[in-house]
Amino acid sequence: MPKLFIYPKNGDSFIYQLKEEKVTLGRAHDNTVAIPDPFCSSYHAAILQEKGRVYVLDDASKNGTYVNGQRIQIKAELNKGDEVLIGSTRIILDKELSTKVEMSDVSPFSENVNTIMHLDKILEKNNLHTTIKAGIPMDLERMKSEHRAFSVMSKVSGALLLHKPLNELLDYVMDLINENLPMDRGVMMLKEGNPPQMIPKVVRVNNKKLQREKIQVSQTIIDKVVNQNSSILTSDTQSDTRFKAKESIIRSNIRSAMCVPLFNNREIIGIIYADRISLARPFTEEDLKLLTLLSNLAAVKIENSKLIDDVIEKERIEKELDLAAQIQKDFLPKEKPDFPRIEIAGNNIPCYQIGGDYYDFIPIDSSRIGIIIADVSGKGVSASLLMASLRAAIHSEISEKVDIRKMVSKLNDFVHRSSAANCFISFFFAEFTVDKGELRFINAGHNPPLIFEKNGGVNRLESCGLCLGMFPSVQYDIKNISLKEGDTAVLYTDGITESRNKEGKEFGEDGLISLVKKNRKLSAQDLLSRIYEEVETFISGVDPMDDMTVVVIKKDS
């Protein structure tokens, strides 16, 4: 059974076994796991178990949900060891932190360090001197040190050439640093979350006697490193009188310690901390410079790895959206209804790969067909999921004995139960008796379909009630109209009439009416194509702002 290892910033850590299919997380007491974190939303996120897999779902939280340092959009799969950050609370799936790292407040910083080196001084090109000037005695120790630095930098640069996923890269970087700068303990922290904070990502404890001890890193020192773009060294702390009766970087009789920024040449994205306790030789200023250079190299690589991982994730999402778009396309009618002297055509163009518009032609019996057009508030994945649910509900309700008034009321209650308070669906349903040309319809807050009469008149099929999902237990009136010979009905979503050109002018209902009147002699399919062509020409140079759906019904003369 999967476990969540939960580490609040303040307070004791605890373990939660995932017994339920859905575990909610947040500040409110009625969550499955209540987390008293001021940076958590009341209902922040949920952990889901689906077919043996574990996912985290962000519940529209204010500060976002992060997985391994990346903010998720809606939902992300979790594997063993993946870390979820909500507010300032860390949650790790099926893996306990081997050594706990804590921040601690310490005495004034100026009394706690031996050396502070500004980042610019360490990273400037002439920091490592390689030229021997005539008449100046050679400093062999300095040359050995600089030769070592160049050798290490060259080795590490080569080792970091190939791409690795971010989690693997962080471990690899700490291994390289540990190999070239032996330490008793080391911690790599990255800046994550909103508000941003330093989160320990990799911990190395080489001294087995220290593995069960907490590493308490000074928040004051981290602030100094980040705010002043500086690297910091303490050495011989046990013999330094300034440290007697005071807290050091860690509360553990350290001989020396270093804290340097992970600087990617634009910003500081984290820090690396290292200390020596059992090792006799303390860190030196040359060690501090080398660790700073290695950290700079690592920070650039970490940023590159994040970008590559983002590209890989984007490609994965694109493939999933392509699949979702194909599934959604398959939900739409594959064939036009075939009736004598009646032409029916429809089309949908989503604003993104998938959208929230929907149209359908559903046979009721040999002489009747249900014609539907609908539009979910919003766009994208969430809108498409709600629309798919609505489609399934409609198909389950349609039968020869269907009572469309009761059906639409049930659909309204279904949408109200299944969606957020600010989500609703404009919906038009017509029971079309083909041989008589009769339309019995309910318009639930949708754009009024237009009936173009043979004599040039235009009728608007106005709303009969509220959009689906706004309130429960809504009743709808049924209205009737007949299509006569030569009449044309045009159903559309607001993506057509609210399309704007470069000047911000809307295509508008008047524009649609004028267009149809000019082309009313075209077949239903040709008229449908002409509408899309004219709208595309109108908004030329401007990206569509909404999904666009049109249905045309034409009764031949």
Side-chain angles (χ1 to χ4, degrees), residues 236-279:
D236 290 329
T237 58
Q238 295 186 59
S239 60
D240 191 332
T241 57
R242 293 177 301 172
F243 288 89
K244 292 180 179 178
K246 295 180 182 292
E247 291 184 278
S248 61
I249 291 180
I250 59 169
R251 299 169 181 171
S252 279
N253 296 323
I254 65 170
R255 291 185 179 277
S256 63
M258 297 186 291
C259 189
V260 304
L262 281 163
F263 179 66
N264 64 7
N265 298 327
R266 291 185 297 105
E267 62 179 338
I268 292 174
I269 62 171
I271 62 101
I272 292 180
Y273 165 83
D275 67 30
R276 286 178 177 173
I277 297 172
S278 62
L279 297 173

Side-chain angles (χ1 to χ4, degrees), residues 58-74:
D58 182 73
D59 194 11
S61 63
K62 181 180 178 180
N63 289 328
T65 300
Y66 293 78
V67 175
N68 297 328
Q70 300 293 314
R71 184 167 183 168
I72 66 173
Q73 296 302 312
I74 299 175

